[in-house]
Amino acid sequence: EAGVAQSPRYKIIEKRQSVAFWCNPISGHATLYWYQQILGQGPKLLIQFQNNGVVDDSQLPKDRFSAERLKGVDSTLKIQPAKLEDSAVYLCASSLVSGGDYEQYFGPGTRLTVT
Amino acid sequence: AQTVTQSQPEMSVQEAETVTLSCTYDTSESDYYLFWYKQPPSRQMILVIRQEAYKQQNATENRFSVNFQKAAKSFSLKISDSQLGDAAMYFCAYRRRFGNEKLTFGTGTRLTIIP
């Protein structure tokens, strides 16, 4: 079974530029999560999708971050414009369904550096 | 809000010895899961072990075991017969069993294995 795929693995941009990250969850997984992991911290949830609907985006800085999950499969996370404090690893995870005994499986992450 | 605290930023252990990583958490919920995740330099979060709060028996996975003290809200990870491949960041995480299933992570413990 293929795991969660993310691209790119690394990205370096200047502040005020825009950037997009892509995630392909495990086949058949209805729930998709985006986490932000700042250096020295644990991951923090940015947004959770159930199929193509948003379940939780309370921690998403909506003035600059946006995410979509078209057709309930792949997802894209965008930052526009980027700030220095957005430098972090962005992790995508998926689970078969939400809640209960179902585990979240993580992708390899995208390391973003904003200069 | 739920919080997870890891008070040991770094730990080291001699190869083949045993090490214990500490974690405390705070929640008003009664039905939840606790996890230990391993994050090697590749950045991929790997589930090490899971504990259901309703189970009194401590979880065990090969060389990894936990000491779950529900009343004290303590959840430590014991790694026996430490191996070089165990070197990584270890994150303690909490998740409600139902409802909002986001993972809440601690700040991590960097484990070094001394050959």
Side-chain angles (χ1 to χ4, degrees):
Chain A
E1 178 182 78
V4 177
Q6 289 187 248
S7 67
R9 291 297 309 276
Y10 303 90
K11 190 73 177 179
I12 301 173
I13 62 172
E14 295 182 352
K15 59 183 179 184
R16 291 187 289 275
Q17 287 187 325
S18 63
V19 64
F21 312 126
W22 173 81
C23 173
N24 181 239
I26 293 172
S27 178
H29 280 198
T31 309
L32 186 145
Y33 311 80
W34 283 103
Y35 290 86
Q36 179 192 56
Q37 185 179 14
I38 294 172
L39 185 65
Q41 299 180 20
K44 179 188 76 174
L45 181 72
L46 290 176
I47 189 167
Q48 175 185 345
F49 291 95
Q50 178 71 19
N51 295 309
N52 60 353
V54 175
V55 173
D56 182 356
D57 64 355
S58 58
Q59 300 276 46
L60 188 74
K62 298 180 185 64
D63 58 334
R64 298 183 301 105
F65 285 64
S66 64
E68 61 182 9
R69 190 182 184 198
L70 299 176
K71 300 180 181 179
V73 182
D74 294 5
S75 178
T76 303
L77 177 69
K78 297 179 181 178
I79 308 175
Q80 182 179 11
K83 293 185 175 182
L84 295 177
E85 58 260 37
D86 298 332
S87 294
V89 174
Y90 291 84
L91 295 165
C92 180
S94 70
S95 64
L96 188 61
V97 294
S98 62
D101 293 333
Y102 295 99
E103 301 300 340
Q104 295 183 26
Y105 296 87
F106 285 83
T110 297
R111 180 181 296 279
L112 173 67
T113 302
V114 183
T115 63
Chain B
Q2 293 81 19
T3 58
V4 177
T5 303
Q6 293 179 251
S7 58
Q8 305 157 315
E10 297 184 358
M11 292 283 286
S12 61
V13 63
Q14 293 276 355
E15 192 176 2
E17 295 297 309
T18 296
V19 64
T20 299
L21 308 183
S22 301
C23 172
T24 59
Y25 61 96
D26 189 28
T27 182
S28 58
E29 302 284 336
S30 59
D31 200 2
Y32 53 88
Y33 295 114
L34 295 165
F35 306 86
W36 280 98
Y37 280 90
K38 171 184 177 181
Q39 188 178 43
S42 65
R43 302 196 300 271
Q44 184 125 19
M45 282 285 191
I46 301 165
L47 178 63
V48 174
I49 198 164
R50 180 181 89 171
Q51 175 75 46
E52 293 87 345
Y54 60 86
K55 290 186 178 179
Q56 299 212 353
Q57 187 173 4
N58 289 323
T60 302
E61 288 287 343
N62 301 314
R63 298 181 296 107
F64 300 88
S65 61
V66 299
N67 184 0
F68 172 49
Q69 301 290 327
K70 190 172 184 179
K73 294 182 180 174
S74 170
F75 182 61
S76 61
L77 173 70
K78 185 172 80 171
I79 306 174
S80 304
D81 186 25
S82 298
Q83 301 176 0
L84 295 177
D86 295 333
M89 285 291 293
Y90 285 81
F91 290 94
C92 179
Y94 164 98
R95 174 168 77 82
R96 288 173 59 180
R97 189 173 180 199
F98 298 104
N100 188 335
E101 296 85 31
K102 72 175 183 181
L103 287 163
T104 300
F105 289 87
T107 52
T109 297
R110 180 176 302 282
L111 179 64
T112 301
I113 310 297
I114 303 167

